[in-house]
Amino acid sequence: MENGLNERLIVPKILQESKNIWRVALPGVISRVGSFGTIVATQSFIGHISPLDLAGYALVQTITVRFVNGILLGMSSATETLCGQAFGAGQYHMMGIYLQRSWIVDLITLTILLPVFIFGSQLFMLLGQEESIAKRGGYISLWFIPFVYNFDFSLTIHMYLQAQLKNKLIAWISVFQFILHLGVPGAMSALSISSWFLVIGEFIYIFGGWCPHSWKGFSKAAFLDILPVVKLSLSSSLMVCLELWYNAVLVLIAGYMDNAEVAISAFSIW
């Protein structure tokens, strides 16, 4: 009798907990699929141009972009920690300050990493890639510069909104982002435009007053106590980077194989 009563009590609790988890997780899943889909769609478009362009794109996207994305994604996880703590403690005004601090730290970090895109050809040749693929990759890497700067805002805003259970917006904008991406001619132009469409939509949501408790406007306090944020960001970055870079090494090794164009393209598509 007692066991039956416990089962009747625990099942509703499990269902409610699952509902709460999916409330947070599903928008995050949709946004990640949408963001990843734009990169995959761009790759499929470039694959129709030439095998050399596909190999060059694969080299940049899998090695250079993933290298930078890994660092910024890891550093942005510090924003998730700080905003989550502030939200739980009821210090809502600090969430906006933490977000601004993360923008400053990530923006400086990304600018420091910019030479890996500017000198892409030299970097790939230094890593032992074929000259033709390295030069094509170096050209394509320049087109990625406007795209990667969206990471500074999109990754941190995702964490900021998710901590407040406001990430449904991200899911909807990500869907529109992917649709917009498919409708814009020019693969690399579409990638940059659609990625910034997501960021602009998030800016409108935050600055438009939909986060009244956590966003009080820009503050000089964002420039204070940045060093602890840098330390937390770097330690968080290391954990994520190792996981992402492991897969990137496979594509790098593929460049040493015979018929490197096909090998790099195949590994990146996989």
Side-chain angles (χ1 to χ4, degrees), residues 184-259:
V184 176
M188 296 306 300
S189 298
L191 183 63
S192 294
I193 292 172
S194 62
S195 64
W196 278 99
F197 173 81
L198 173 64
V199 174
I200 291 172
E202 292 169 336
F203 279 155
I204 293 174
Y205 184 79
I206 295 174
F207 299 158
W210 282 276
C211 298
H213 301 295
S214 59
W215 182 262
K216 301 297 184 181
F218 291 99
S219 172
K220 293 180 180 179
F223 293 91
L224 304 176
D225 298 323
I226 282 187
L227 187 57
V229 177
V230 173
K231 291 180 179 179
L232 179 60
S233 298
L234 292 176
S235 60
S236 301
S237 175
L238 182 60
M239 294 184 292
V240 177
C241 287
L242 293 177
E243 180 182 354
L244 292 176
W245 294 347
Y246 171 77
N247 292 327
V249 170
L250 295 177
V251 175
L252 182 64
I253 294 175
Y256 303 141
M257 300 172 65
D258 295 332
N259 200 355

Side-chain angles (χ1 to χ4, degrees), residues 21-263:
I21 291 174
W22 278 108
R23 180 186 174 190
V24 177
L26 185 59
V29 171
I30 294 174
S31 66
R32 292 294 177 88
V33 170
S35 299
F36 183 70
T38 58
I39 294 177
V40 173
T42 303
Q43 187 172 20
S44 66
F45 292 154
I46 290 180
H48 291 288
I49 300 175
S50 73
L52 182 60
D53 286 295
L54 179 58
Y57 176 88
L59 205 60
V60 177
Q61 190 272 318
T62 313
I63 296 177
T64 313
V65 174
R66 182 165 292 187
F67 170 76
V68 173
N69 178 256
I71 292 175
L72 294 179
L73 180 60
M75 295 181 71
S76 298
S77 64
T79 308
E80 182 179 26
T81 301
L82 294 171
C83 285
Q85 291 175 346
F87 185 81
Q91 299 292 316
Y92 304 121
H93 70 285
M94 287 301 300
M95 298 179 69
I97 294 175
Y98 288 143
L99 179 62
Q100 293 173 56
R101 284 177 184 170
S102 66
W103 286 347
I104 296 169
V105 173
D106 286 7
L107 189 61
I108 293 174
T109 302
L110 181 56
T111 303
I112 293 173
L113 295 172
L114 206 57
V116 301
F117 292 96
I118 297 175
F119 303 104
S121 297
Q122 294 87 337
L123 175 63
F124 294 139
M125 283 191 284
L126 183 65
L127 294 173
Q129 302 300 303
E130 289 187 5
E131 183 176 354
S132 59
I133 299 176
K135 287 184 177 180
R136 180 55 58 179
Y139 170 74
I140 293 176
S141 67
L142 296 176
W143 282 90
F144 266 104
I145 293 176
F147 169 73
V148 295
Y149 265 98
N150 92 87
F151 290 156
D152 178 39
F153 303 102
S154 62
L155 295 175
T156 51
I157 291 176
H158 286 189
M159 309 299 184
Y160 166 78
L161 293 177
Q162 183 171 293
Q164 306 172 71
L165 300 180
K166 294 180 179 290
N167 57 337
K168 287 183 180 179
L169 167 86
I170 302 173
W172 283 109
I173 297 180
S174 296
V175 172
F176 287 120
Q177 171 198 11
F178 185 64
I179 295 172
L180 173 67
H181 179 76
L182 296 178
V184 176
M188 296 306 300
S189 298
L191 183 63
S192 294
I193 292 172
S194 62
S195 64
W196 278 99
F197 173 81
L198 173 64
V199 174
I200 291 172
E202 292 169 336
F203 279 155
I204 293 174
Y205 184 79
I206 295 174
F207 299 158
W210 282 276
C211 298
H213 301 295
S214 59
W215 182 262
K216 301 297 184 181
F218 291 99
S219 172
K220 293 180 180 179
F223 293 91
L224 304 176
D225 298 323
I226 282 187
L227 187 57
V229 177
V230 173
K231 291 180 179 179
L232 179 60
S233 298
L234 292 176
S235 60
S236 301
S237 175
L238 182 60
M239 294 184 292
V240 177
C241 287
L242 293 177
E243 180 182 354
L244 292 176
W245 294 347
Y246 171 77
N247 292 327
V249 170
L250 295 177
V251 175
L252 182 64
I253 294 175
Y256 303 141
M257 300 172 65
D258 295 332
N259 200 355
E261 286 183 19
V262 175

